[in-house]
């Protein structure tokens, strides 16, 4: 252990994307918080990825890797990595995303056992940059039902995640399902940090592991699994599904959100997918600049 600091496990599932994996892996190994173990699980044999991991592991003993000979899905890869993890804390990273260099350091500084987990905010690759920064806030189970405000990664004690794991039967929405079950089983809230700790690739031309049909099927599976939570709130579930899959939001659905905290997000996403796209982005950037300038 480095300076007696807790060990943090970082899992990375990867599926035939060696170039992306090289970038994401490098961002984890270059963290300012150095007492980490990085566990990569290749979902399917990829010779270029294996060569990369062999080479890196010779230079950095913190890297552990294994693979599925046949692709069994991202959740299987995540669960295999979690089973292997030996850290005090654990977090993850998708193979097409990037950790900012102080990501784990920020998590450690902000950790409190009052929360079930903490999570960070994002910058984006492949989309107009949004430098608007908000405030940290708590997320309860009730809040999470309305929308996945957590994102796709959390930081938590390893026993918390090992007690829940990812549901491999879901085609999509597995992270959302996992975060919801953690809040339910721990009975605690979570903390969303204002710090932007990742770069998430949202380039529409990039190869996506989860197809739109699988995402839609996963959303239906999620609804069936948590139907009691969404009783009388089908429009909220539908909005979450469309927003998650970056699909256009029909105006009737936006109007159904009137009077809720989700209305303005729905209106923004509806306009963003319309012919007003450039106008909406320009207005957003102007608003961002004004707010950030006002904050100093």
């Amino acid at each position: 252990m480095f300076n007696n600091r807790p060990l943090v496990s970082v899992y990375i599932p990867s599926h035939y994307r060696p170039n992306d994996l090289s970038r994401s892996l490098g961002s984890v190994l270059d963290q300012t918080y150095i007492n980490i173990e990085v566990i990569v699980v290749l979902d399917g044999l990829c010779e270029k990825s294996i060569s990369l991991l062999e080479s890196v592991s010779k230079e950095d003993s913190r890297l552990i890797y294994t693979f599925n000979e046949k692709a069994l899905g991202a959740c299987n890869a995540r669960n295999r990595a979690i089973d292997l993890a030996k850290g005090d804390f654990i977090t993850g990273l998708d193979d097409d995303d990037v950790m900012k260099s102080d990501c784990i350091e920020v998590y450690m500084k902000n950790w409190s056992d009052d929360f079930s987990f903490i999570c960070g905010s994002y910058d984006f690759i492949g989309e107009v940059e949004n430098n608007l920064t908000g405030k940290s806030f708590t997320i309860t189970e009730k809040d999470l039902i309305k929308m996945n405000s957590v994102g796709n990664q959390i930081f938590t004690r390893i026993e918390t995640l090992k007690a829940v794991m990812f549901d491999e039967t879901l085609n999509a929405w597995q992270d959302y399902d996992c975060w919801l079950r953690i809040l339910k089983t721990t009975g605690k809230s979570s903390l969303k940090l204002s710090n932007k700790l990742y770069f998430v690739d949202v380039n529409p031309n990039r190869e996506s592991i989860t197809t739109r049909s699988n995402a839609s099927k996963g959303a239906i599976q999620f609804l069936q699994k948590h139907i009691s939570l969404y009783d009388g709130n089908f429009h909220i579930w539908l909005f979450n599904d469309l927003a998650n899959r970056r699909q256009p939001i029909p105006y009737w659905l936006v109007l159904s959100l009137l009077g809720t905290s989700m209305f303005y997000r729905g209106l923004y996403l509806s306009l963003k997918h319309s012919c007003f796209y450039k106008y909406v982005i320009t207005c957003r950037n102007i608003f961002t600049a004004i707010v950030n300038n006002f904050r100093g």
Side-chain angles (χ1 to χ4, degrees), residues 60-267:
D60 197 323
S61 61
R62 296 176 298 170
L63 172 62
I64 302 166
Y65 68 92
T66 186
F67 55 84
N68 295 326
E69 291 192 5
K70 294 182 179 179
L72 297 175
C75 278
N76 175 274
R78 292 187 188 108
N79 286 341
R80 286 196 65 187
I82 294 166
D83 278 333
L84 293 171
K86 298 178 180 178
D88 302 287
F89 294 90
I90 190 167
T91 189
L93 185 67
D94 289 346
D95 67 355
D96 58 342
D97 295 336
V98 174
M99 270 188 182
K100 294 192 175 181
S101 62
D102 63 345
C103 177
I104 297 177
E105 193 80 55
V106 171
Y107 276 143
M108 290 300 301
K109 288 179 179 178
N110 285 277
W111 176 256
S112 168
D113 283 324
D114 291 338
F115 299 107
S116 57
F117 60 81
I118 58 178
C119 52
S121 298
Y122 305 86
D123 270 326
F124 299 101
I125 302 170
E127 189 174 88
V128 178
E129 184 178 7
N130 180 6
N131 289 321
L132 184 62
T133 55
K135 296 181 179 180
S136 299
F137 58 91
T138 57
I139 303 171
T140 65
E141 180 185 356
K142 185 178 180 180
D143 296 326
L144 198 59
I145 292 169
K146 296 178 182 178
M147 64 176 291
N148 182 8
S149 48
V150 172
N152 62 359
Q153 306 297 343
I154 64 169
F155 179 90
T156 188
R157 287 200 176 274
I158 199 163
E159 59 267 22
T160 299
L161 189 53
K162 286 197 173 191
V164 174
M165 307 293 276
F166 290 92
D167 186 344
E168 297 179 30
T169 67
L170 297 179
N171 288 67
W173 286 45
Q174 305 100 330
D175 50 357
Y176 193 0
D177 167 73
C178 187
W179 315 154
L180 191 57
R181 287 186 289 116
I182 287 176
L183 292 184
K184 189 175 186 65
T185 57
T186 62
K188 299 178 180 180
S189 61
S190 59
L191 177 65
K192 177 84 170 187
L193 301 174
S194 62
N195 307 67
K196 294 185 176 183
L197 303 179
Y198 307 91
F199 288 105
V200 174
D201 196 338
V202 295
N203 190 325
N205 297 317
R206 85 190 197 286
E207 180 185 359
S208 177
I209 292 176
T210 303
T211 64
R212 288 186 176 180
S213 61
N214 271 342
S216 181
K217 186 182 295 183
I220 294 171
Q221 292 172 324
F222 179 91
L223 178 64
Q224 291 172 333
K225 184 173 181 178
H226 301 286
I227 189 68
S228 62
L229 301 177
Y230 284 82
D231 184 36
N233 293 296
F234 180 82
H235 61 298
I236 292 178
W237 164 80
L238 179 59
F239 171 72
N240 279 329
D241 173 44
L242 294 175
N244 185 61
R245 293 189 287 124
R246 296 181 177 273
Q247 298 297 294
I249 311 296
Y251 291 118
W252 66 263
L253 183 55
V254 175
L255 290 176
S256 75
L257 299 171
L258 193 63
T260 73
S261 60
M262 304 172 71
F263 172 73
Y264 292 107
R265 179 170 181 253
L267 181 61

Side-chain angles (χ1 to χ4, degrees), residues 43-58:
D43 188 35
L45 289 176
C46 176
E47 293 302 326
K48 288 185 178 180
S49 294
I50 291 174
S51 296
L52 165 70
L53 295 172
E54 287 179 344
S55 175
V56 173
S57 64
K58 290 177 182 178

